[in-house]
Amino acid sequence: MSIAWPRVMDQNGRPNSKGLDFYKRLLARLKDKGLKTFVTLYHWDLPQIPAGAWRLVEPRDGVRFATTPS
């Protein structure tokens, strides 16, 4: 299943607790039904970086981008 980035993070990169709670409830319900889930981020919702700008991104930015709140 895909998680919509704008649902779990606001425009300033802060966690959206309502969106995170939605997915926590959804995943718990699927688990209760015996379904095994595999989660991805929907790639069209990810923050956009102009073509060629990847060389300007600091590696530590990817760590912040890739980590999720517990």
Side-chain angles (χ1 to χ4, degrees), residues 39-58:
V39 175
T40 64
L41 288 174
Y42 183 61
H43 69 283
W44 292 113
D45 290 339
L46 297 177
Q48 300 297 307
I49 296 179
W54 282 108
R55 58 180 161 53
L56 303 175
V57 176
E58 292 291 330

Side-chain angles (χ1 to χ4, degrees), residues 22-41:
F22 167 82
Y23 283 112
K24 286 179 183 178
R25 288 190 313 273
L26 176 61
L27 290 167
R29 184 80 171 139
L30 293 171
K31 184 178 179 181
D32 290 345
K33 295 291 184 181
L35 297 171
K36 187 173 186 178
T37 55
F38 296 90
V39 175
T40 64
L41 288 174

Side-chain angles (χ1 to χ4, degrees), residues 58-69:
E58 292 291 330
R60 68 179 177 273
D61 293 340
V63 172
R64 182 183 63 81
F65 176 79
T67 58
T68 57

Side-chain angles (χ1 to χ4, degrees), residues 8-23:
V8 296
M9 302 294 282
D10 70 13
Q11 290 180 341
N12 297 315
R14 292 181 303 239
N16 175 356
S17 60
K18 288 182 181 181
L20 292 169
D21 289 343
F22 167 82
Y23 283 112

